[in-house]
Amino acid sequence: MDGRKPYIAGNWKMNLDRSHALDLIKTIKGRLGDGNDREVAIFAPSVYLADVSAVAQGSPLGIGAQNFHFESEGAYTGETSANMLREVGADRVLIGHSERRHIFREPNDWSGRKVRKALDEALLPILCVGEKLEERQANRTERLLRRQLDAGLCDVQPEEMRRVTIAYEPVWAIGTGEVATPEQAGEAHAFIRKWIHNKLGPEAAELTRILYGGSVKPDNIRGLLAIEDVDGALVGGASLKPDSFIPIIEFDQ
Ligand code: 13P
């Protein structure tokens, strides 16, 4: 990990009722140390953010949203602005998650506008990238990643990469129980770091954290974090219960 602080993020997606959500935040908060040796964050449904961030207050637990709109305000029914997220206590946001891209047909170029807006509004973005199974089978993984990185980071300065995280989530590994092999994850992460090196310079490449996502579980977290260029994990299903999420946060114990 070369000095990059490990980052474990839970993406709850559209799960949990309010009382389970608050209980889970309390449990995670109680198990977090001082946050010096790892960064932990939860990406909660927007309607819970105010309550969840109130519970998390006073701890190093980061609280983020799963999506937002890149415009500041206006006639965008059903959308949430960056400023609204900040007002309810979120300090970070997911951008371009594969479910946003594929189920909700979010255009690739929106991710760049969202990364720019997040940075301008002091939200820490996690830009999600990753190929579908047919793209991997057609040997198009790198081409696809390049396209998503070109769009997502089109308007970012090298020094701003300190605040940007990338999550590599192969779509075929999300919610399927099928995790990328160390070789597949290693190759994709190395490709992403090389892209950052070429476009934004060696310093940006060195400091940017690249998370792996897709069927991360307590029994595979250690192996994943041992892969060069894997700096953390973006966890879906296993972030919904203390029994599975706490051992992931405490991967080294
Ligand atoms: P799973 O961990 O459930 O495969 O989900 C991964 C994911 O999409 C996290 O954003």
Side-chain angles (χ1 to χ4, degrees):
M1 263 174 254
D2 288 340
R4 294 179 289 271
K5 193 197 265 195
Y7 186 177
I8 307 289
N11 173 12
W12 285 353
K13 308 191 181 183
M14 196 174 73
N15 292 298
L16 297 178
D17 60 26
R18 185 173 168 280
S19 86
H20 282 99
L22 297 180
D23 281 351
L24 187 45
I25 293 293
K26 275 181 213 146
T27 306
I28 297 167
K29 182 179 172 179
R31 294 295 280 265
L32 276 188
D34 54 15
N36 285 339
D37 62 347
R38 73 204 62 203
E39 184 166 349
V40 178
I42 289 293
F43 291 83
S46 293
V47 290
Y48 297 156
L49 284 172
D51 292 341
V52 152
S53 53
V55 174
Q57 220 179 15
S59 81
L61 178 62
I63 298 294
Q66 299 168 13
N67 183 36
F68 77 117
H69 196 276
F70 49 78
E71 295 292 350
S72 299
E73 61 189 353
Y76 301 103
T77 302
E79 292 292 327
T80 310
S81 72
N83 188 47
M84 291 170 186
L85 295 181
R86 292 219 31 104
E87 283 203 300
V88 291
D91 68 350
R92 59 198 74 203
V93 68
L94 297 181
I95 293 175
H97 189 279
S98 73
E99 286 144 23
R100 299 299 320 167
R101 293 178 188 267
H102 301 306
I103 302 174
F104 300 104
R105 306 232 185 272
E106 270 195 20
N108 193 30
D109 66 301
W110 280 19
S111 59
R113 300 173 77 173
K114 290 186 181 194
V115 169
R116 185 64 259 154
K117 186 67 176 176
L119 291 170
D120 289 344
E121 300 278 345
L123 286 171
L124 302 167
I126 296 185
L127 172 68
C128 305
V129 298
E131 81 287 0
K132 293 195 276 190
L133 183 60
E134 60 262 36
E135 288 154 343
R136 174 161 287 274
Q137 285 170 338
N139 266 328
R140 291 203 171 138
T141 300
E142 293 194 350
R143 189 190 303 184
L144 188 276
L145 292 178
R146 190 179 302 119
R147 216 161 57 82
Q148 292 181 337
L149 292 165
D150 281 342
L153 300 177
C154 64
D155 201 9
V156 175
Q157 300 304 310
E159 62 276 12
E160 290 177 312
M161 290 305 284
R162 201 172 288 287
R163 295 190 281 141
V164 177
T165 301
I166 309 293
Y168 169 63
E169 298 202 301
V171 180
W172 48 271
I174 295 178
T176 59
E178 192 176 342
V179 66
T181 65
E183 196 184 23
Q184 288 168 329
E187 273 173 16
H189 281 239
F191 177 82
I192 292 167
R193 201 172 303 286
K194 196 173 79 195
W195 184 97
I196 299 170
H197 185 284
N198 292 343
K199 292 281 168 111
L200 295 162
E203 231 178 283
E206 195 58 35
L207 60 82
T208 304
R209 285 176 298 181
I210 307 173
L211 315 185
Y212 169 82
S215 298
V216 175
K217 305 280 183 256
D219 62 4
N220 60 27
I221 182 68
R222 269 171 175 260
L224 287 163
L225 290 178
I227 301 168
E228 210 187 333
D229 288 317
V230 174
D231 305 310
L234 181 54
V235 186
S239 70
L240 299 172
K241 291 198 173 130
D243 287 358
S244 44
F245 195 54
I246 299 295
I248 294 177
I249 299 175
E250 297 176 348
F251 57 86
D252 53 350
Q253 289 173 25

